[in-house]
Amino acid sequence: MRFDFTTEETDFRNQISTFLDEMLPKNWGGPAGLSDDDGWALDQRLRKELVKRGWLVMGWPKEYGGADSSPMMNTILADEMAYRRAPGLDGFGTRMLGPTLMAFGNEEQRAQHLGAIARGEVQWCQGYSEPNSGSDLASIQTSAELYGDEFVINGAKIWTSMGHRADMMFMLVRTNPDEPRHAGISLLLVDMKTPGIDVQPIVNMAGVHHFNQVIFDNVCVPKENLVGDLNDGWRVGMTILNHERSGIEFAAGARAAIEELIAYINNPDSPVHSAKSDPAVRIKLAELSTEVEAARLLCYDVTWRHGQGLEPSFEASMSKVAGTDIYQKVLEYGLEILGMYGGLEPASPQVELQGRFLKLRMLSTATTIFSGTNEIQKNIIAQRGLGLPRPPRPPGLANK
Amino acid sequence: MDFGLTETQELIRTTAREFLADRSDSSVARAVANGDTDALESLWKDIVELGWPALIISEEHGGAGLSFGDFAVLLEELGASLAPTPIVESAITSRIIERFGSNDLKSDLLPKAATGDALITPAIVERDASWDATSPTVAATKTDTGLVITGEKRFVAFAEQATHALTLVRTDKGDPALVVVPISESGGIEQIPLEHVAGTPVSSVSFNELEVPEANIVATGDDAIRTTEELIATGSVARAAQLAGLGRAVMDATVEYASNREQFGQVVGSFQAIQHHLAEMAIASKQVNHLVHSAAWSFSQDGYSVERAAKAKIAASEKISALCWNAHQCHGAIGFTWEHDLHLYTRRALAWKTDYGDSSFHKSKLADAMGL
Ligand SMILES: Cc1cc2nc3c(=O)[nH]c(=O)nc-3n(C[C@H](O)[C@H](O)[C@H](O)COP(=O)(O)OP(=O)(O)OC[C@H]3O[C@@H](n4cnc5c(N)ncnc54)[C@H](O)[C@@H]3O)c2cc1C
């Protein structure tokens, strides 16, 4: 065992930090007060710079524009970016679709898409969830019927993050109506400009337009856009989900928030400076900091397993549960420390810390819901990790 | 012990439910959160007509003379409905003036508060965001006719609607004083409206050499500290009662959702993970309800139980905000949308958990009361 980073890793972390010092706006504390358009502009600017430095897809093999760097280096990048609340890392393209195309895509698909992702030119979005299919993804109903050389897609996807910014979507569709569950699903790549696609905004509880409903009305997609085999989309699509999770961004966000709170109460100009000498505050922050470190180590364990060539499964679920729980707790405690100021929205006069803790606490509500709810993650830990039996399902729902 | 409602309380509950269902759905809360003061004022007018601000004012001063325990039943319903009203501000200041004000002040202000002609809101907190009654900095200089007040109060609820602020100041002798300050005139007063998670008006109010007659002083010195502490405790139990109602409403809505939303061919309420979330919400909701009514019941003509008041606010602040987050978890993505009403409740819960002292403030009060 060894609980520090190599010189190379530490140097890299410092480089990212210097890079972000240069790139982020002055007094940057995160995107909480930024408009959706300004946030997107910053995301795009940073992404271009990440490409220039060879960091955006550094974990990819060299042949696809990557640097073959270790999962550890990759997680350090994600850790440092999230710690600074910097946008720019494109999770959908670089971490989800890219590795999936490497595993299941054909030569043309790799040639067409991987380079564009590596160069930061294309924004992807993920079309999995539907109004009636959230946790139970295998029940999706959006259909794709093959007519000649084209699939014709009809249905609705929902909660599509970045759908309004995306050039392309990877989506799960039902290609065999006689197979109501896993066996009738395929993965398709769809150009968002195809006629018949209607992207409808959904504003979230923090007042931000981040996700969308996407309606498909006779949308024609070339049959070459099928990834993997017809009706094998469940296997292909779940690989994507496995690439989604190291969970480091939540532990990183929590770490940033704790440090910000400490600096804030230590500042004699802060209206709640007296919290600094409150023993209860000291104890609570120490408690939270322990939990954050515990969550962070789970994330690095997942990364280490990746590096060892072990496929993390339930371990990734553990880090997601621990990371998101503590992230929410830290933000919630920040609101408590801020006291009456915790109730002020970012745009309010007399606001403290730019109203960030309120906004981030609202936004963080989603972290225990997206990429598999924490209840589903706990089911995975219990069943896949601890070998406990699955509860019986209603007849007709074959086990995965 | 008797956990049942009295006939009067049953009547209050039924009337409140009917009125609020008809008059205060979430569209009113949304409108007011968007700055629609007409919606706020017209709801308040109807509430005044129902006599709710007069409920706990004595009959002698134009009120209905009901108990604080009765009032808590009403507050639960108001909390459950998200009704954006200054009822708590009005009722608790009336009670404090009735208990500690001079006879002149009582006979001048209370009948007006009962009929909505006066709206008195507490102004306690300053820049340090503290509810501590011992250390105000807003300065009050004594003159021959009264006080001249200068300084800033923050987080004053409904200051834009209020006619008076029951304000904690420091006299030139260094003692605290609790004073009724008229704030509807423009001279000597500046208001900065804040954008608050409660979705109801909250302002900072600055006084610039504002003259207030001597008769408006409710208490000075140690009496002012004790009186202000009672004002805060009264407010905290009132907020706890609203939180209890809010928690119940959120729990009911979540049970309803979990009983209808299907995944894996069954309603999500059939999964034990969700059942356990809901069971915890049910326990919390009932516990808070009991603590609130026990505290409210302790309020009488002669005072209140400091311990019960603190316990009610501690439990309500912690358990009901947790209940709301739990509800979000059970709803999945739909509860994360602006369009869904759930976040309106969560926002209120966040505001109310800190109002009139958060749980750490009241833990410290409770520890004092317990002899620690
Ligand atoms: C901010 C945000 C961004 C998102 N972005 C995307 C995106 O880009 N693309 C995309 O496809 N999707 C996206 N999603 C959707 C996300 O994947 C789903 O919200 C998630 O899978 C849960 O589905 P649901 O919301 O329908 O909740 P439901 O599945 O209806 O769950 C409701 C409740 O029931 C519980 N539950 C369900 N099944 C079980 C079970 N078997 N055992 C125990 N408890 C259970 C859940 O944990 C939850 O508490 C996003 C969601 C959010 C909030």
Side-chain angles (χ1 to χ4, degrees):
Chain A
M1 290 214 214
R2 174 194 161 124
F3 286 89
D4 65 359
F5 294 96
T6 64
T7 320
E8 187 201 5
E9 287 160 359
T10 305
D11 285 350
F12 180 50
R13 191 185 289 275
N14 292 338
Q15 277 178 43
I16 303 165
S17 180
T18 314
F19 161 71
L20 291 174
D21 287 342
E22 286 163 18
M23 289 304 301
L24 292 172
K26 276 218 166 57
N27 296 324
W28 173 254
L34 229 53
S35 75
D36 190 43
D37 284 343
D38 291 347
W40 174 245
L42 183 64
D43 179 289
Q44 291 293 289
R45 203 156 64 237
L46 278 166
R47 197 178 299 177
K48 288 270 147 9
E49 293 295 327
L50 289 166
V51 172
K52 257 197 223 159
R53 283 165 179 73
W55 293 345
L56 186 69
V57 294
M58 55 187 262
W60 286 14
K62 291 211 174 74
E63 57 172 315
Y64 300 122
D68 266 325
S69 55
S70 66
M72 196 53 82
M73 296 286 269
N74 238 335
T75 297
I76 288 170
L77 177 64
D79 189 358
E80 221 35 46
M81 295 285 286
Y83 173 68
R84 299 289 289 274
R85 304 191 182 112
L89 281 183
D90 159 36
F92 292 122
T94 63
R95 278 162 202 258
M96 294 164 80
L97 184 65
T100 303
L101 286 182
M102 291 173 212
F104 297 97
N106 57 36
E107 275 315 313
E108 293 76 48
Q109 289 167 341
R110 294 182 195 182
Q112 191 184 347
H113 300 299
L114 292 179
I117 294 173
R119 291 188 300 273
E121 291 166 359
V122 185
Q123 178 65 47
W124 283 85
C125 66
Q126 178 188 24
Y128 281 23
S129 307
E130 297 180 5
N132 294 320
S133 305
S135 299
D136 182 16
L137 263 186
S139 68
I140 54 146
Q141 279 161 22
T142 295
S143 65
E145 287 177 72
L146 196 54
Y147 288 101
D149 291 343
E150 286 181 332
F151 287 104
V152 179
I153 308 176
N154 280 290
K157 293 291 172 182
I158 198 167
W159 319 126
T160 317
S161 302
M162 311 296 286
H164 57 305
R165 303 287 185 193
D167 307 295
M168 298 288 294
M169 173 190 277
F170 55 90
M171 67 186 297
L172 290 177
V173 288
R174 185 153 305 282
T175 37
N176 183 352
D178 300 328
E179 282 285 357
R181 296 196 53 85
H182 313 80
I185 293 173
S186 300
L187 188 92
L188 286 182
L189 309 179
V190 179
D191 187 329
M192 292 296 281
K193 285 187 291 296
T194 319
I197 297 183
D198 183 17
V199 180
Q200 302 168 346
I202 305 177
V203 175
N204 68 28
M205 68 184 267
V208 178
H209 172 203
H210 167 83
F211 53 24
N212 305 270
Q213 172 150 244
V214 184
I215 307 293
F216 294 80
D217 180 12
N218 285 317
V219 174
C220 300
V221 173
K223 75 170 195 277
E224 292 74 39
N225 289 19
L226 173 72
V227 181
D229 293 337
L230 191 67
N231 297 326
D232 195 27
W234 185 258
R235 194 163 65 98
V236 180
M238 287 308 114
T239 308
I240 293 186
L241 287 192
N242 282 340
H243 283 287
E244 196 176 345
R245 306 181 183 125
S246 96
I248 192 65
E249 55 276 22
F250 309 117
R255 185 162 62 93
I258 287 189
E259 290 176 13
E260 192 170 15
L261 286 172
I262 293 173
Y264 180 65
I265 59 176
N266 279 341
N267 180 352
D269 295 335
S270 154
V272 298
H273 180 55
S274 66
K276 176 182 158 65
S277 43
D278 181 342
V281 171
R282 292 163 48 86
I283 286 169
K284 185 73 193 185
L285 283 171
E287 212 174 281
L288 290 171
S289 172
T290 306
E291 291 296 320
V292 171
E293 182 68 6
R296 187 167 191 252
L297 289 174
L298 283 181
C299 303
Y300 275 105
D301 179 11
V302 168
T303 301
W304 173 77
R305 297 182 78 81
H306 256 306
Q308 298 293 304
L310 304 164
E311 190 59 37
S313 62
F314 72 94
E315 291 91 349
S317 296
M318 285 183 166
S319 71
K320 200 244 170 183
V321 170
T324 52
D325 274 352
I326 192 61
Y327 182 47
Q328 292 178 347
K329 282 204 186 98
V330 168
L331 293 171
E332 185 98 2
Y333 190 60
L335 291 181
E336 268 178 49
I337 287 191
L338 283 159
M340 296 299 285
Y341 290 101
L344 295 184
E345 306 276 359
S348 178
Q350 301 184 339
V351 74
E352 289 292 315
L353 291 176
Q354 302 173 331
R356 202 151 50 231
F357 276 76
L358 178 59
K359 185 93 167 202
L360 289 177
R361 179 60 189 89
M362 290 292 171
L363 289 172
S364 75
T365 308
T367 61
T368 45
I369 296 168
F370 60 47
S371 338
T373 69
N374 281 19
E375 288 72 24
I376 295 292
Q377 305 293 354
K378 287 178 190 173
N379 290 349
I380 292 173
I381 296 165
Q383 291 156 22
R384 222 181 283 165
L386 305 177
L388 291 161
R390 300 171 59 108
R393 292 248 194 269
L397 293 187
N399 280 354
K400 289 174 210 166
Chain B
M1 292 251 190
D2 175 0
F3 289 85
L5 296 183
T6 64
E7 256 175 56
T8 310
Q9 290 170 344
E10 284 284 5
L11 187 66
I12 291 173
R13 171 168 291 184
T14 324
T15 319
R17 280 193 184 166
E18 277 169 17
F19 170 79
L20 292 166
D22 174 48
R23 197 50 190 78
S24 177
D25 63 19
S26 68
S27 68
V28 178
R30 283 179 186 270
V32 170
N34 277 334
D36 180 349
T37 47
D38 289 348
L40 178 82
E41 276 151 24
S42 107
L43 177 63
W44 182 237
K45 202 169 140 261
D46 290 355
I47 284 180
V48 166
E49 253 163 46
L50 286 169
W52 291 352
L55 215 63
I56 59 168
I57 296 175
S58 66
E59 287 172 273
E60 183 193 346
H61 292 115
L66 295 189
S67 72
F68 200 74
D70 298 333
F71 184 52
V73 174
L74 173 65
L75 288 174
E76 257 188 76
E77 298 309 317
L78 284 160
S81 78
L82 290 174
T85 76
I87 184 84
V88 166
E89 290 73 15
S90 172
I92 66 172
T93 52
S94 295
R95 182 178 151 94
I96 291 300
I97 291 168
E98 181 127 36
R99 268 175 52 70
F100 303 101
S102 66
N103 284 334
D104 285 352
L105 204 58
K106 285 195 262 192
S107 42
D108 174 28
L109 282 177
L110 294 177
K112 289 185 196 153
T115 53
D117 294 317
L119 173 61
I120 311 166
T121 188
I124 310 296
V125 177
E126 299 182 358
R127 180 177 178 272
D128 70 358
S130 160
W131 288 93
D132 177 16
T134 61
S135 54
T137 68
V138 166
T141 313
K142 262 208 155 48
T143 63
D144 293 346
T145 51
L147 298 171
V148 175
I149 297 181
T150 297
E152 187 194 32
K153 287 289 172 185
R154 290 196 171 174
F155 305 104
V156 184
F158 299 97
E160 289 167 278
Q161 285 71 35
T163 54
H164 301 78
L166 186 53
T167 310
L168 183 65
V169 297
R170 174 165 303 273
T171 66
D172 33 10
K173 278 194 275 158
D175 290 336
L178 193 61
V179 195
V180 177
V181 180
I183 60 170
S184 47
E185 307 295 310
S186 49
I189 295 195
E190 196 198 337
Q191 286 203 24
I192 303 176
L194 306 175
E195 281 191 43
H196 200 267
V197 68
T200 46
V202 179
S203 312
S204 288
V205 181
S206 294
F207 308 106
N208 185 12
E209 303 197 349
L210 184 73
E211 286 183 44
V212 179
E214 176 130 29
N216 285 21
I217 300 175
V218 176
T220 55
D222 286 348
D223 280 346
I225 296 177
R226 267 195 298 280
T227 307
T228 306
E229 282 178 349
E230 178 164 334
L231 172 68
I232 293 167
T234 314
S236 74
V237 174
R239 282 287 184 257
Q242 288 179 301
L243 278 165
L246 182 149
R248 193 198 64 220
V250 169
M251 183 188 71
D252 289 348
T254 310
V255 170
E256 165 95 19
Y257 185 76
S259 309
N260 288 297
R261 167 74 173 172
E262 284 188 25
Q263 290 291 281
F264 302 99
Q266 56 204 97
V267 296
V268 297
S270 68
F271 298 121
Q272 289 194 341
I274 298 298
Q275 290 179 350
H276 289 187
H277 281 317
L278 287 165
E280 282 185 22
M281 290 160 75
I283 295 170
S285 171
K286 216 171 182 57
Q287 286 180 319
V288 169
N289 197 283
H290 289 336
L291 289 169
V292 160
H293 285 290
S294 159
W297 181 85
S298 82
F299 280 71
S300 71
Q301 298 310 318
D302 310 317
Y304 68 106
S305 157
V306 174
E307 293 197 20
R308 290 186 192 200
K311 285 172 184 165
K313 186 62 179 7
I314 293 165
S317 296
E318 293 184 356
K319 290 177 192 284
I320 302 302
S321 56
L323 180 153
C324 288
W325 296 126
N326 231 336
H328 278 287
Q329 191 59 30
C330 294
H331 275 80
I334 194 82
F336 186 63
T337 62
W338 187 262
E339 201 180 339
H340 198 284
D341 284 344
L342 185 54
H343 74 97
L344 302 177
Y345 291 91
T346 307
R347 284 167 186 272
R348 279 291 167 77
L350 282 180
W352 288 346
K353 78 187 269 212
T354 14
D355 253 2
Y356 301 107
D358 62 8
S359 71
S360 19
F361 174 87
H362 287 285
K363 279 174 190 168
S364 158
K365 293 275 169 238
L366 177 58
D368 288 345
M370 287 161 60
L372 286 162

